[in-house]
Amino acid sequence: MNTQLKRAVLRSFAGLGGAMLALAAGVAVGQTAGTAGAPAATTPPATAPVVDQHGPTIKETYAKSFLIGMAGDLPANYSDVEIGLIKENFGVVTPENCMKPAPVHPEENTWRFERPDALVKWCEENHMVVHGHTLVWHAQTANWFFEGGDKETITRRLREHITTLVGRYKGKVHSWDVVNEAISDGGNAETGKTENLRNSQWLRNLGPEFLTLAFKFAHEADPDARLYYNDYSIETGPKHQSSMVLLKRLIQEGAPINGVGIQGHWSTATVPYAAIDKAIADYASLGLKVSISELDVTIRGASGGQFGAGPGGPGGRGGGGPTTQPGAAPGGRGGGDGAPRGAPAAGAPATQPFARGGFGGGGRGRGGPVTPATPQDLQAQADAYARIFSIFAKHKDVMERVTFWGLSDRRTWRFGQHPLIFDENNQRKPAYVAIVDALQHPKPYPPATPR
């Protein structure tokens, strides 16, 4: 981290009263970057940071390396301030919810294109790339796909869904998450030798070939679109090994796959630096490009991308679907307007604690006050983001895109965990400056301990 940022972390927010500083000082310190091999601050900062809001943008800084993106169902329900922030800082947009199977295709003969059309039109007008998300998923998919049908019927429904959606935006959507999260969680050395596919409706009805079929249907609908497999936790452990087995099979079967999306739902205490570095290299060895598709780095509480898993307070990922993870809270990840229920109106300051509800399909989430980020939290997060982006920069020849999952700490499925690089008031955080500095003033990091 450069001298400017270190000095910033030692200064207090300009204009904040003693009461707010006392509140921040009185909050128990959350998790910090204690991961083996992670940089540690020798003297914890005592006051909240001041950050330069007018320095180089991440979009321009990384323009020659890879695209920088955000997720949101633009442009509805975003304030003018937020829209300006998006245009200034990002070059690619992922629809957070509106292109998922259930929202866009709730019944066999019913399509809801209003929001996807609006998003694609807005991106065209503002010269932004669109990455489509997602064509095939075990969650947020209506039951009609599988009801009363044999294998041939379900295959036809899959083809028609993909052909219609991809075909509608042919030449307008640059790339797609074709299949999302097909690999099971957990596992061991033995399951790592197999694909360890999730026991989804797609697998039960069509068998493992549903993945190859999906990629072929997408390619037929738009031969120029970049096609991705997307998943969480595939950078580590047996799940990474299973992903390699799966990808090799898809390539062998002639699936027109171009890349892998590593979601990147991490926390400052558990970022697997060495595993990320190795996973990118592993996927590149297969001739595939890599994107970090859903990046956020929380400062406390749970992390990970599990559907339905409550992140230590907020609602979970899906669209109001069943909760199957222990201790999970129902709720929706990336819902209709991208803002949590109970949050301030778009563009309003978020300085008061408020209850959080899931967004998307109407999830409830857990209510309660939001614990402010401490200076130590912000420093640890900045260090983590800097180190992560130094890994991405190292692999810039195979990296296509880094997309943050949300816009700010107000518009995030991890609300209350301060996971992104803009705060609740759309201000740059220390992590933002650290990401810029990671490319402009790179520094060597000690080897991380593999886990």
Side-chain angles (χ1 to χ4, degrees):
M1 184 164 299
N2 68 358
T3 302
Q4 179 186 4
L5 180 57
K6 288 183 177 178
R7 288 175 179 169
V9 176
L10 296 174
R11 299 197 297 267
S12 61
F13 280 114
L16 281 180
M20 181 60 73
L21 293 176
L23 174 63
V27 175
V29 176
Q31 293 177 315
T32 58
T35 304
T42 55
T43 304
T47 56
V50 170
V51 176
D52 180 8
Q53 299 296 316
H54 305 290
T57 68
I58 52 174
K59 180 171 73 171
E60 65 188 12
T61 300
Y62 285 87
K64 295 182 179 180
S65 300
F66 39 75
L67 288 169
I68 298 290
M70 57 80 63
D73 290 331
L74 303 172
N77 301 318
Y78 281 79
S79 70
D80 291 342
V81 171
E82 290 171 321
I83 290 294
L85 204 67
I86 293 165
K87 289 196 268 188
E88 181 181 18
N89 290 280
F90 303 104
V92 55
V93 172
T94 299
E96 196 171 11
N97 202 62
C98 66
M99 286 187 183
K100 290 174 180 174
V104 75
H105 200 182
E107 299 174 8
E108 186 161 11
N109 297 314
T110 301
W111 287 87
R112 292 176 178 164
F113 288 122
E114 295 83 3
R115 297 204 74 169
D117 282 354
L119 182 145
V120 171
K121 181 175 183 290
W122 185 87
C123 287
E124 282 185 311
E125 292 172 348
N126 290 280
H127 310 290
M128 300 186 76
V129 176
V130 180
H131 173 80
H133 176 82
T134 177
L135 299 175
V136 180
W137 192 21
H138 68 278
Q140 284 184 267
T141 298
N143 287 331
W144 67 260
F145 275 96
F146 314 102
E147 288 176 345
D150 54 18
K151 185 173 182 178
E152 182 179 352
T153 299
I154 295 170
T155 300
R156 175 183 57 78
R157 290 170 178 168
L158 175 64
R159 179 194 287 272
E160 289 177 353
H161 172 77
I162 293 174
T163 300
T164 301
L165 188 55
V166 176
R168 184 179 184 88
Y169 302 113
K170 181 179 180 180
K172 298 180 179 180
V173 171
H174 173 264
S175 52
W176 287 92
D177 289 330
V178 177
V179 179
N180 196 46
E181 302 172 3
I183 303 173
S184 293
D185 293 337
N188 52 39
E190 289 305 309
T191 61
K193 298 175 183 177
T194 72
E195 295 180 8
N196 196 25
L197 294 178
R198 187 185 299 272
N199 186 27
S200 67
Q201 287 265 51
W202 291 114
L203 181 66
R204 292 196 296 272
N205 283 280
L206 299 184
E209 67 180 308
F210 83 87
L211 290 104
T212 304
L213 289 172
F215 276 96
K216 288 183 175 180
F217 296 159
H219 182 68
E220 289 169 1
D222 186 353
D224 294 326
R226 306 283 293 169
L227 305 181
Y228 271 76
Y229 175 76
N230 188 57
D231 212 330
Y232 61 89
S233 298
I234 54 171
E235 71 279 5
T236 60
K239 196 167 183 179
H240 174 66
Q241 299 305 319
S242 290
S243 74
M244 292 293 287
V245 175
L246 170 61
L247 293 167
K248 288 175 183 178
R249 192 257 294 180
L250 292 177
I251 293 169
Q252 184 178 19
E253 292 181 353
I257 181 171
N258 303 114
V260 182
I262 301 172
Q263 289 187 11
H265 297 295
W266 299 310
S267 77
T268 55
T270 58
V271 179
Y273 300 107
I276 296 167
D277 190 4
K278 182 178 183 299
I280 295 172
D282 284 350
Y283 295 141
S285 74
L286 301 179
L288 299 173
K289 295 294 187 179
V290 178
S291 288
I292 306 301
S293 56
E294 307 182 12
L295 180 61
D296 44 40
V297 180
T298 59
I299 63 171
R300 64 173 65 88
S303 61
Q306 298 86 346
F307 175 81
R317 257 184 100 207
T323 298
T324 58
Q325 301 294 328
R333 171 192 177 201
D337 63 1
R341 288 193 179 94
T351 56
Q352 299 297 323
F354 48 83
R356 155 71 152 105
F359 41 107
R364 298 185 297 275
R366 296 186 183 100
V370 174
T371 303
T374 68
Q376 292 91 338
D377 289 332
L378 296 172
Q379 176 70 67
Q381 185 182 58
D383 289 342
Y385 266 118
R387 187 164 189 176
I388 291 168
F389 269 79
S390 72
I391 295 171
F392 301 161
K394 171 185 173 182
H395 295 283
K396 64 181 181 180
D397 290 344
V398 299
M399 296 283 295
E400 289 195 327
R401 173 175 51 91
V402 175
T403 292
F404 294 89
W405 200 251
L407 172 62
S408 67
D409 286 348
R410 191 183 76 85
R411 286 191 182 269
T412 169
W413 74 301
R414 293 288 190 191
F415 185 82
Q417 295 179 280
H418 314 282
L420 296 175
I421 59 175
F422 292 101
D423 67 17
E424 293 89 344
N425 298 308
N426 300 314
Q427 298 296 298
R428 295 181 183 184
K429 294 163 61 179
Y432 189 109
V433 180
I435 290 171
V436 171
D437 194 59
L439 191 65
Q440 292 186 337
H441 304 96
K443 68 177 184 179
Y445 289 100
T449 303
R451 288 198 300 266

